[in-house]
Amino acid sequence: MSQVTITRSRLLGAAALLVLAAGGIGFTVAQHWEGSHDGASAKPAARKILYWYDPMIPAEHHDGPGLSSMGMQTIPRYADGAGAGSAAPGISVDPSASQTLGLRTVLVRRGALASSVTATGTIDFNQRDIAVVQARTGGFVQRVYARAPGDIIGAGAPLADLLVPEWGGAQAEFLAVRRTGNATLTQAARQRLTLLGMSSGTIASVERAGRPHNVVTISTPTGGVIKTLDVRAGMTMTAGQTLAEINGLGTVWLNAAVPEAIAGPLKPGQSVQATLAAFPGETLSGRVSAILPTTQVDSRTLTVRIELPNRGGRLRPGMFATVSFGGSTQPALLVPSEALIRTGKRTLVMLALDKGRYRPAEVQTGRESGGDTEILAGLSEGEKIVASGQFLIDSEASLSGVEARPIGAASPTAAAKSAAMGVLYETIGKIEQITATSVTLSHEPVPAIGWPAMTMTFQLPDPKIARGLKTGDRIRFGFDQPPSGPTVRRMAKVAGQ
């Protein structure tokens, strides 16, 4: 081999080593063996090499050391490496490699998670506050009062004067009967005027004036905005014909479009905070009046109707608003949202075990708020997980064939730590029966102590723990295991029930 070839090969090998050291992607699975960890008992020759590979191309295997197809130096894959038959599932990462990868771990903790949802919406008319103005009898429109659709008017505002020829004869007959002094006949004549569509005010006006009054002014029964106006001078009106529709402005609707995936916890009567682009810095308060039963197919959203007071008529239909649905704060088992690994079929976190070992664990997630995600199953309080750099470890675990801890599997180490620290085990269950001293729950698995899903009775040391709860409620509860038996220490109703 020529000197040029040797020099080039050395340069390629050195460059490959530099890339491996600086890339932060390929890291060496720590060596585990029984007995002493001194140099004499840790000879590389004593370990069986399965194959050589390039961390950048994990599917490419080589029979010996050398360069990969990308010109990178290959590294060995050992048979006794973590995930390749070791007793404790998981992989190990050298402490120096952990620093290079920027691994950061956090404890699974119990905290408060606000069930808040934010959406956008628009102001609309309150469709329950509509007045329809109709002609009580047929006649001719003698005069209109220069109204137009969109005008804002007050209660009792005149719309049109209607000439009713039929009323003239009836009113003259009523006045003639009234002059006879016969109370029975007078009452009958007054009743006839009412049946012809005259209001009590019109009849009283005829009595005061003592002469027929066959022109009636049609006015609005309520204030608001004129939505429709179908009356013009000279028109012939028939009985029951609609002249106008008036929509009140005392309250308005705010129709918010909430994605169906997060609309589950919302309920009628729930408090709402809204901010409008038209009034920056001002917050309006209201309540959910209804959740409409249909979903918008194109946007996959539900329409949530909120009723807002409209003092001064400032809120105009069509205005844009941002809506925050406030909710009660619920206790929950929390992890940082950034710690989750979502594969599409399941959600994983990377457990940080003892002595620099790591193992993926499957979890069931719930609500998300403020950068935290609720864990419904798969983790216990006090367990340690990786919050950053977990994707690199997950790639190495997949390459090594390390199986994720399934939901409901036991974690003896975490259980021992929990018992020593006196922390509570936490899971979700349904109340089957409750008394002053005990509660029977059908609960989900408790991974920390290896319990499967089952129904069992727990001691209830204080009836106040179950205050406000009843049979059938779905709850999140925490319990410990004193010598007297499993004892519930806290219970809280799961949000969205």
Side-chain angles (χ1 to χ4, degrees), residues 252-483:
V252 292
W253 284 349
L254 172 56
N255 293 325
V258 181
E260 61 177 340
I262 59 174
L266 302 183
K267 293 181 179 180
Q270 186 172 340
S271 61
V272 170
Q273 303 293 321
T275 57
L276 278 75
F279 308 109
E282 185 176 347
T283 301
L284 305 177
S285 298
R287 291 193 176 276
V288 176
S289 62
I291 300 175
L292 301 193
T294 56
T295 301
Q296 300 299 321
V297 178
D298 53 349
S299 60
R300 308 309 306 169
T301 58
L302 291 175
T303 300
V304 178
R305 180 179 294 161
I306 301 138
E307 191 167 309
L308 295 175
N310 188 19
R311 299 179 182 87
R314 296 190 311 153
L315 304 182
R316 307 296 177 91
M319 285 183 172
F320 181 80
T322 301
V323 186
S324 176
F325 298 87
S328 59
T329 301
Q330 299 285 341
L333 198 64
L334 301 177
V335 299
S337 299
E338 62 177 336
L340 301 177
I341 304 172
R342 303 183 190 273
T343 66
K345 294 183 178 179
R346 59 180 181 173
T347 302
L348 304 172
V349 296
M350 190 60 62
L351 292 171
L353 308 175
D354 293 334
K355 301 179 180 179
R357 295 183 63 79
Y358 300 89
R359 183 190 181 187
E362 185 176 354
V363 296
Q364 179 185 354
T365 59
R367 298 165 294 152
E368 184 175 356
S369 177
D372 289 329
T373 297
E374 178 186 20
I375 299 298
L376 300 178
L379 289 175
S380 296
E381 184 179 355
E383 288 191 280
K384 187 181 294 186
I385 63 171
V386 180
S388 63
Q390 70 272 21
F391 290 97
L392 297 175
I393 303 179
D394 181 58
S395 299
E396 183 70 13
S398 300
L399 185 65
S400 303
V402 177
E403 294 185 359
R405 187 181 79 183
I407 295 177
S411 176
T413 304
K417 285 184 177 181
S418 297
M421 296 170 62
V423 298
L424 301 183
Y425 309 114
E426 192 164 305
T427 188
I428 291 177
K430 178 183 176 183
I431 299 177
E432 302 293 346
Q433 186 179 1
I434 190 167
T435 68
T437 58
S438 67
V439 57
T440 301
L441 302 169
S442 55
H443 63 78
E444 295 179 2
V446 186
I449 51 179
W451 282 10
M454 58 182 171
T455 300
M456 64 179 297
T457 300
F458 295 81
Q459 296 183 66
L460 193 61
D462 187 350
K464 294 179 180 179
I465 297 175
R467 181 179 296 170
L469 300 175
K470 62 183 184 303
T471 300
D473 283 348
R474 183 170 169 80
I475 62 167
R476 173 175 284 278
F477 68 98
F479 68 95
D480 57 9
Q481 297 193 81

Side-chain angles (χ1 to χ4, degrees), residues 113 153 163 169 205 215 244 247 286 303 344-345 348 415 453 467-468 478 497:
L113 190 67
I153 57 177
L163 173 63
S205 178
V215 176
N247 209 136
T303 300
K345 294 183 178 179
L348 304 172
R467 181 179 296 170
Q497 252 208 162

